[in-house]
Amino acid sequence: MAEGIETGTEKYFDERPQEPMKKPWETGMRFGIIGGLISVSVALLTNLLGLVQYELNADGSQPSNTLQTFLSVAIFVAVLFLAVREHRDKVLGGFISFGKAFGVTAMATVMMSFISGIYTYIFFAFIEPDVIDAIFSQAMEQMEDQGQDVEGME
């Protein structure tokens, strides 16, 4: 039986189904895990295909890695959009407050960041451990070229 609200002589019924409602963090966690796994897959694929550059450019500038950056941002935005849309349409019946949308996106962001952090640690600790040393030595050379004190940095 639907619950109603009495106002004066009329009684208004809530037409939404009375099944247990999911919390925003449940939807956010599910989409965050999916988004994190997609992000890790894309990162592994771009690394395996050699589309990521870790060394400095010939002129000493930082590499842009535009494709990986674009894909990462696109995945992030798409996952957040889809998470809020699913929570709004399938859980809340077509309306979502700012607070609930914020909760969904916050949890999805936390989960994607956590999974990405684990992948980053595994990547630099086990898959490509020499990259950190190469980046560090390049940064030291760049500091020397700019006349900065390198001895204190080591």
Side-chain angles (χ1 to χ4, degrees):
M1 178 179 204
E3 294 181 21
I5 302 171
E6 295 220 21
T7 58
T9 59
E10 301 174 13
K11 187 172 185 178
Y12 296 97
F13 287 95
D14 186 359
E15 297 295 326
R16 289 184 286 177
Q18 296 301 313
E19 55 194 52
M21 298 193 44
K22 289 183 185 175
K23 303 289 185 199
W25 64 267
E26 292 173 350
T27 305
M29 183 176 288
R30 185 166 35 91
F31 274 86
I33 291 170
I34 292 167
L37 294 175
I38 291 170
S39 294
V40 167
S41 300
V42 168
L44 280 171
L45 184 64
T46 55
N47 281 308
L48 287 174
L49 295 175
L51 300 174
V52 179
Q53 176 186 353
Y54 295 105
E55 296 82 26
L56 295 175
N57 295 326
D59 63 354
S61 62
Q62 295 291 326
S64 64
N65 294 321
T66 306
L67 178 65
Q68 189 175 26
T69 302
F70 174 76
L71 289 173
S72 296
V73 171
I75 291 167
F76 180 73
V77 170
V79 165
L80 295 183
F81 173 77
L82 293 172
V84 170
R85 187 176 73 178
E86 176 159 318
H87 195 70
R88 179 196 69 195
D89 294 344
K90 294 187 178 173
V91 176
L92 299 177
F95 175 78
I96 190 166
S97 67
F98 174 79
K100 297 247 192 250
F102 185 81
V104 169
T105 57
M107 180 51 74
T109 301
V110 166
M111 290 307 298
M112 286 192 302
S113 299
F114 181 73
I115 291 170
S116 295
I118 291 171
Y119 163 73
T120 301
Y121 172 75
I122 291 170
F123 181 79
F124 286 119
F126 303 109
I127 298 172
E128 289 283 342
D130 299 333
V131 171
I132 294 290
D133 294 331
I135 292 171
F136 183 74
S137 64
Q138 289 173 357
M140 298 296 275
E141 289 174 18
Q142 212 174 25
M143 289 175 62
E144 286 176 352
D145 293 344
Q146 293 174 356
Q148 296 179 0
D149 180 30
V150 184
E151 299 301 320
M153 294 301 290
E154 295 179 2

